[in-house]
Amino acid sequence: MSFTLTSLIPGVGHEYAHVATAGIVTAGLVVTSIVAKKSLGKGDNAVIPADRFSLKGIFELITEFIAGLCDMVIGEHGHKYIPMFASIFTFVLINNLVGVIPGMAPATENLNTTLAMGICVFLTYNIFGLKENGVSYLKHFLGPVMWLAPLMLVIELISHIVRPISLGLRLANVLKGDHTVVGIFLDIAPIGLPIPFYILGIFVCFVQAFVFTLLSMVYVALATAHDH
């Protein structure tokens, strides 16, 4: 396992380096969100867009992006889920970008972290589905044809169980592959040659945060639809 700065923290080591990274990022995001909320001001000032590059402007950009995506995927009734999706996107993105810093390994590179996130999404969209549709939400597991219900139940259960696993595997493996490539070129030529791969890595960080959030939205949209 490669060296990471978080492994130097007493009691962390290599085994829990990803946990330390996730904790640091989470604490940083909490503090940042508190500062950003205070920068909003009160009354009319809270809804006036930022006129320059600032922490408030960054959070506004993320929120507007997620809101537009939520409208396309879920519809108007998905507005109440925007804070959750914005939090998922920001958490995944910042953790991904941490891996670009030399000596740091992102929590999203570790399968334990990404599977845990996938399971959280799995539990969340099923809870939302039950809240929106009640017991009738369970009917979509049986399919439209009753005599095929036993077969459809097995297929749907497998499909739903695979979702958090696929979310976790996709995110962790792509990030691990990207950082492995950068590490190889750093060993070959530490100066100059890795720069294009760093740029590509930053692009991958944004794409993977987008994909994870988009798939989470799709699952919530399917669960909360009223045509079960």
Side-chain angles (χ1 to χ4, degrees):
M1 184 177 290
S2 59
F3 167 79
T4 59
L5 293 175
T6 49
S7 65
L8 296 176
I9 301 173
V12 173
H14 290 299
E15 291 183 359
Y16 303 107
H18 65 286
V19 178
T21 304
I24 292 170
V25 171
T26 302
L29 287 175
V30 170
V31 173
T32 304
S33 63
I34 292 172
V35 174
K37 185 176 181 180
K38 287 184 177 180
S39 69
L40 287 175
K42 297 180 180 180
D44 293 337
N45 291 329
V47 296
I48 298 176
D51 57 355
R52 64 183 184 277
F53 181 80
S54 62
L55 189 62
K56 176 183 176 182
I58 293 173
F59 275 87
E60 285 179 352
L61 181 65
I62 293 174
T63 304
E64 288 177 6
F65 169 70
I66 296 299
L69 191 63
C70 204
D71 281 338
M72 289 189 293
V73 177
I74 302 178
E76 290 187 1
H77 77 278
H79 286 180
K80 56 188 174 184
Y81 306 124
I82 290 175
M84 181 190 73
F85 292 127
S87 299
I88 291 174
F89 178 81
T90 307
F91 179 80
V92 175
L93 177 61
I94 299 302
N95 268 290
N96 291 351
L97 291 174
V98 163
V100 180
I101 303 172
M104 292 294 291
T108 45
E109 187 184 75
N110 189 283
L111 190 57
N112 293 307
T113 303
T114 56
L115 281 178
M117 293 168 61
I119 291 171
C120 286
V121 171
F122 170 80
L123 294 174
T124 300
Y125 80 72
N126 279 295
I127 291 172
F128 287 162
L130 285 170
K131 288 180 68 175
E132 283 287 331
N133 299 287
V135 181
S136 62
Y137 168 69
L138 301 176
K139 292 181 180 178
H140 86 277
F141 287 92
L142 304 178
V145 182
M146 289 308 299
W147 63 273
L148 285 175
L151 176 61
M152 292 302 300
L153 178 61
V154 174
I155 294 174
E156 287 291 336
L157 287 176
I158 294 174
S159 172
H160 281 259
I161 291 172
V162 167
R163 287 178 182 179
I165 299 173
S166 65
L167 278 175
L169 287 173
R170 182 185 297 106
L171 181 57
N173 289 337
V174 171
L175 267 294
K176 187 178 288 291
D178 175 69
H179 294 136
T180 299
V181 170
V182 174
I184 291 171
F185 282 96
L186 278 172
D187 292 336
I188 295 174
I191 300 176
L193 184 61
I195 292 177
F197 296 96
Y198 267 110
I199 296 173
L200 180 61
I202 293 173
F203 175 72
V204 169
C205 291
F206 280 90
V207 170
Q208 287 306 307
F210 169 75
V211 170
F212 192 96
T213 307
L214 178 62
L215 289 175
S216 301
M217 282 187 185
V218 171
Y219 296 153
V220 170
L222 293 173
T224 57
H226 293 280
D227 56 351
H228 293 118

